[in-house]
Amino acid sequence: MLDATDPPLDDDEQPAPRPLSPRAVTLTTSLLAGATLLAVLVVLPTPYAVNSPGPTRDVLGEHDGTPMIEISGAETHDSTGQLRLTTVSSTGGPGYPSSILGVVSGWFSASSVVLPVEQVYPPDVSQEQIDESNQAEMVSSQEDATVAALTELGYEVPATLLVAGTVEGTDAAGKLEENDVLVGFDGEPLPDYQSLVDDLADVEPGETVTLTVQRHGQDVDVPVVTSEREGGGAQIGVLIDPTFDMPVDVTISIDDIGGPSAGTMFALGIIDKLTPEDEADGEVIAGTGTMDVTGAVGPIGGIRQKLAGAERDGADWFLAPAGNCDEVVGHVPDGLRVVRVATLHEARVAMEAIGAGEAGDLPTCTQDATTPSPTAG
């Protein structure tokens, strides 16, 4: 043994390192193999999709320095509240595979859901195709929300009702032609889409109505026997591609979110900006739901993730489509109060009641309140 008084050994005299024991070699090899396997598992793709709470956006505020809703041609008003659209973040689609770690985390998260990829994403569809579809749905949603909001506020929104086709098996098939323009209903003019909806509401399925169309520059009267549409009410079996003449110019700026489910919150944001009342009055109201031009709120996917995202981002209230109530019951985060809505008018009434502190009697989702929202005629 060397002590402090002994001179240092030359390099040639240094003691040789002790060889590792077989047990130490085995342990080291096992640890390296385990670390390598874990690293692979973290990034290894799996055949599952994971849906988690996504970001929320205040439609009354700005995103990246640009107002989400800009209006010209009418006086606008500021709001002290927030109307937050909600989203779902997903992995598992083309180009964005879910890792094993992500899947395991999703299984243990109360606000996430793990599903086989084929239940979420169509086979043989590229990410580019998915993005294009989502963007197209978003653009259509914005237009429908604008029409519904302006109609709710009493504006007239003229429309050209172009026939895009007919529904197979209905009386209209073979009678109306693509590119016909629908201009009259039982002898009365059709200046806008809402007039057609209102006229159909007075018709019983099986009754015959007379549609006037412009065809090759001529007005042609076409008798059509109506049929019953899903959800009740009469339908004429005509696919209509309306072109709207907006009385107010509304621009919605959002380029990182797709799909149609923000329609209800867009429509409420337009109403809030165009009315002098401060409807939300400091409250943080989140919500979701598709919106058609008639003001019907439609069900969406990922409602549980959207509820969790709303609560995470400070919302106290959540406007949920009536058609999603069966998924809402039993999954509302603590501190979040849900209001059931089936139409834009109901959503507007709820927004005003919440802002006024008079929301105690607003309907919510219960076990017996799972009626789907109405659909347009």
Side-chain angles (χ1 to χ4, degrees):
M1 177 181 292
L2 296 175
D3 63 30
T5 62
D6 291 322
L9 296 174
D10 293 333
D11 290 340
D12 292 340
E13 299 176 348
Q14 295 290 340
R18 296 176 61 187
L20 293 174
S21 67
R23 180 178 181 184
V25 171
T26 301
L27 179 60
T28 301
T29 303
S30 299
L31 289 174
L32 289 174
T36 302
L37 179 60
L38 180 60
V40 171
L41 290 178
V42 167
V43 298
L44 190 67
T46 69
Y48 292 98
V50 182
N51 291 343
S52 304
T56 67
R57 299 273 193 272
D58 176 19
V59 301
L60 298 176
E62 297 182 350
H63 181 57
D64 292 337
T66 301
M68 288 192 63
I69 299 176
E70 294 184 277
I71 300 175
S72 59
E75 184 179 2
T76 59
H77 308 271
D78 293 332
S79 174
T80 61
Q82 296 182 27
L83 297 173
R84 305 194 74 89
L85 65 84
T86 51
T87 67
V88 176
S89 292
S90 299
T91 63
Y96 298 95
S98 300
S99 67
I100 291 180
L101 182 60
V103 170
V104 172
S105 297
W107 278 331
F108 285 95
S109 171
S111 60
S112 297
V113 61
V114 179
L115 297 168
V117 167
E118 60 271 17
Q119 292 187 22
V120 181
Y121 297 97
D124 303 323
V125 175
S126 68
Q127 186 61 45
E128 182 179 3
Q129 290 173 313
I130 293 173
D131 291 342
E132 289 177 353
S133 176
N134 286 340
Q135 188 58 34
E137 289 181 325
M138 173 60 77
V139 171
S140 177
S141 170
Q142 293 172 4
E143 182 179 60
D144 291 351
T146 300
V147 173
L150 295 179
T151 302
E152 170 69 18
L153 290 172
Y155 285 89
E156 293 184 0
V157 186
T160 300
L161 307 181
L162 184 70
V163 175
T166 55
V167 178
E168 186 177 355
T170 65
D171 192 48
K175 291 185 175 181
L176 274 79
E177 300 176 2
E178 191 173 340
N179 295 323
D180 283 348
V181 178
L182 196 57
V183 295
F185 188 101
D186 279 345
E188 296 296 325
L190 290 174
D192 51 41
Y193 192 91
Q194 189 61 43
S195 296
L196 175 60
V197 174
D198 292 342
D199 289 341
L200 272 174
D202 296 330
V203 175
E204 292 293 329
E207 292 182 4
T208 299
V209 300
T210 300
L211 304 178
T212 302
V213 299
Q214 285 185 350
R215 180 182 297 166
H216 308 305
Q218 301 291 324
D219 283 356
V220 179
D221 289 335
V222 182
V224 172
V225 180
T226 61
S227 55
E228 186 171 3
R229 63 176 171 82
E230 186 178 355
Q235 67 172 356
I236 54 177
V238 179
L239 305 176
I240 298 175
D241 182 14
T243 301
F244 298 101
D245 182 12
M246 302 291 187
V248 174
D249 185 18
V250 178
T251 301
I252 299 175
S253 300
I254 184 168
D255 56 8
D256 59 345
I257 294 174
S261 64
T264 296
M265 301 311 290
F266 283 144
L268 289 177
I270 295 168
I271 290 173
D272 188 286
K273 283 182 171 288
L274 285 173
T275 50
E277 298 82 11
D278 185 4
E279 282 94 345
D281 195 19
E283 297 286 346
V284 181
I285 306 170
T288 189
T290 63
M291 174 62 55
D292 71 16
V293 294
T294 70
V297 176
I300 49 77
I303 187 72
R304 297 180 188 177
Q305 289 74 53
K306 293 178 179 181
L307 289 165
E311 187 275 333
R312 177 202 62 207
D313 289 354
D316 298 309
W317 297 89
F318 192 97
L319 306 182
N324 285 119
C325 270
D326 57 339
E327 301 174 81
V328 170
V329 175
H331 297 93
V332 180
D334 291 341
L336 190 66
R337 286 164 285 186
V338 171
V339 179
R340 183 183 79 249
V341 295
T343 66
L344 176 57
H345 183 71
E346 291 180 2
R348 180 186 182 184
V349 168
M351 174 178 65
E352 294 171 345
I354 291 169
E358 300 172 352
D361 294 331
L362 292 175
T364 190
C365 285
T366 60
Q367 289 290 355
D368 58 352
T370 58
T371 303
S373 59
T375 56

